[in-house]
Amino acid sequence: MKLDELDMKILNELRENSRLSMSELGRRVNLSSPSVTERVRQMESFGVIKKYTVEVNYEKVGQPIQCIVEATVKNGDYQGFNKLIQRFSNIEFCYRVAGNACFLLKLQFNNFAEAEEFINTVNPIASTVTHFIFSEVKTNLKLDLT
Amino acid sequence: MKLDELDMKILNELRENSRLSMSELGRRVNLSSPSVTERVRQMESFGVIKKYTVEVNYEKVGQPIQCIVEATVKNGDYQGFNKLIQRFSNIEFCYRVAGNACFLLKLQFNNFAEAEEFINTVNPIASTVTHFIFSEVKTNLKLDLT
DNA sequence: GTTGAAAGACACCATCC
DNA sequence: GGATGGTGTCTTTCAAC
């Protein structure tokens, strides 16, 4: 699927507010509502749009402890690591990466005890470096056509 | 603001699909639509809900190069670093963290040349460790009441 | 927090450019 | 590819409870 500038505009609008109606979305990108609808449907079915979701303030939701963990799997037991982390529901992301570490994860916890518990659970399989998050410096993001 | 189990249910539903109508949302959590609407409005105004947004597949959008960068600022010039990264629009997040590094950032690029350019721009102010992302292992996330 | 009613907006379709 | 107009449905919003 080839995206044009209009698709990018649509994505940027939806990224700012995914609850826009198709007609309002059309107004913002100067397109009729049937046209926007079709473009959006296309991007959904091609997987360009993965999910409509919500950004939550974890502190206000009772999970004030956030951290990013570098995990280096021992003895190349990637399967075991994969399996292990599946049971946690407080993982925002887990990426397989190049570099010293094998995986980078972001997690939320209700308190430090929970964080410790997680690390203890993982450590038999992977060594970890934990970066607790102090604050969010920047999060904006715009898509451009190259 | 004190959240109860119903609020959590609502958040989890919206996190899975932020485009649900209030009436449909009400159906799913067994609440009338006026009640859901009020709860959602509350969570919006208290900042529990930060933003309704969309998850995009960066590869399909023409930004196949993703990485997480650890940045360690030289000479404690945090202001300079902050200012520097503001001009980039391809930063998904930037956290101030504890640990060896000062900041952790996630970025998207159209190609390696752009990634190199970013690193070159940052290096006078901060040393960096770059982890290119191979794949996304896990991303689900549910909120629970403690 | 619920129900019910009224107004409005929306999505959808067919048609046409 | 995109726009327009009409129709039916769903939603929102308000009132009263």
Side-chain angles (χ1 to χ4, degrees):
Chain A
M1 185 189 185
K2 184 79 189 131
L3 301 174
D4 62 13
E5 209 174 320
L6 233 63
D7 294 315
M8 292 304 191
K9 264 185 165 176
I10 292 170
L11 284 176
N12 281 325
E13 287 291 342
L14 284 176
R15 169 171 296 216
E16 275 308 308
N17 182 6
S18 62
R19 283 185 67 83
L20 290 177
S21 67
M22 288 302 142
S23 41
E24 175 59 25
L25 188 52
R27 249 165 257 139
R28 301 199 180 195
V29 301
N30 298 316
L31 221 59
S32 70
S33 102
S35 303
V36 192
T37 306
E38 179 169 346
R39 276 168 180 267
V40 171
R41 297 282 167 269
Q42 287 261 328
M43 292 196 282
E44 288 170 355
S45 61
F46 277 93
V48 176
I49 292 175
K50 294 199 315 198
K51 192 192 263 192
Y52 299 100
T53 188
V54 116
E55 281 179 23
V56 163
N57 184 321
Y58 289 112
E59 284 145 47
K60 298 192 176 169
V61 131
Q63 301 195 311
I65 312 297
Q66 296 181 63
C67 61
I68 291 182
V69 175
E70 307 176 40
T72 310
V73 172
K74 299 168 185 168
N75 312 319
D77 185 14
Y78 296 107
Q79 307 291 356
F81 182 82
N82 263 308
K83 208 175 140 204
L84 180 67
I85 63 165
Q86 294 306 324
R87 64 164 102 132
F88 291 93
S89 64
N90 54 336
I91 299 175
E92 187 172 324
F93 60 71
C94 175
Y95 297 117
R96 178 82 175 92
V97 296
N100 234 335
C102 306
F103 297 96
L104 284 173
L105 303 85
K106 177 162 183 264
L107 298 118
Q108 282 75 40
F109 299 105
N110 300 291
N111 47 55
F112 277 107
E114 275 193 15
E116 181 182 353
E117 199 186 312
F118 173 79
I119 297 296
N120 288 344
T121 311
V122 169
N123 267 345
I125 292 184
S127 66
T128 54
V129 176
T130 304
H131 302 266
F132 286 101
I133 293 176
F134 291 140
S135 62
E136 189 156 10
V137 177
K138 184 191 159 93
T139 119
N140 76 313
L141 191 61
K142 277 226 174 170
L143 302 169
D144 296 303
L145 262 194
T146 354
Chain B
M1 184 189 187
K2 185 78 188 133
L3 300 175
D4 62 14
E5 208 173 320
L6 234 64
D7 293 315
M8 292 303 189
K9 265 186 167 174
I10 292 170
L11 284 177
N12 280 327
E13 287 291 343
L14 284 176
R15 170 172 296 218
E16 275 308 308
N17 182 6
S18 62
R19 284 185 68 83
L20 289 176
S21 67
M22 289 302 141
S23 43
E24 174 60 25
L25 187 54
R27 251 166 256 140
R28 300 197 181 196
V29 301
N30 297 316
L31 221 59
S32 67
S33 101
S35 304
V36 191
T37 307
E38 181 170 344
R39 278 170 180 266
V40 171
R41 298 280 169 269
Q42 288 260 330
M43 291 196 283
E44 288 170 355
S45 60
F46 277 93
V48 175
I49 292 175
K50 293 199 313 199
K51 192 191 264 191
Y52 299 100
T53 188
V54 117
E55 280 179 23
V56 163
N57 185 320
Y58 289 113
E59 283 145 48
K60 299 192 176 171
V61 132
Q63 301 195 311
I65 311 297
Q66 296 181 64
C67 61
I68 292 181
V69 175
E70 308 177 40
T72 309
V73 171
K74 299 168 185 169
N75 312 318
D77 184 14
Y78 296 109
Q79 308 292 357
F81 182 81
N82 262 308
K83 210 176 139 205
L84 180 66
I85 63 165
Q86 294 307 324
R87 65 164 102 134
F88 291 93
S89 64
N90 55 333
I91 299 175
E92 185 170 326
F93 61 70
C94 175
Y95 297 118
R96 178 81 175 95
V97 296
N100 235 336
C102 307
F103 297 97
L104 284 173
L105 305 85
K106 176 163 184 261
L107 299 117
Q108 281 77 37
F109 299 105
N110 299 292
N111 47 54
F112 277 108
E114 274 191 14
E116 181 183 353
E117 198 186 313
F118 174 80
I119 297 296
N120 288 345
T121 311
V122 169
N123 267 344
I125 292 184
S127 66
T128 54
V129 177
T130 304
H131 302 265
F132 286 101
I133 293 176
F134 291 140
S135 62
E136 188 156 10
V137 178
K138 184 189 157 93
T139 118
N140 76 312
L141 192 60
K142 276 225 174 174
L143 301 168
D144 295 303
L145 262 192
T146 353

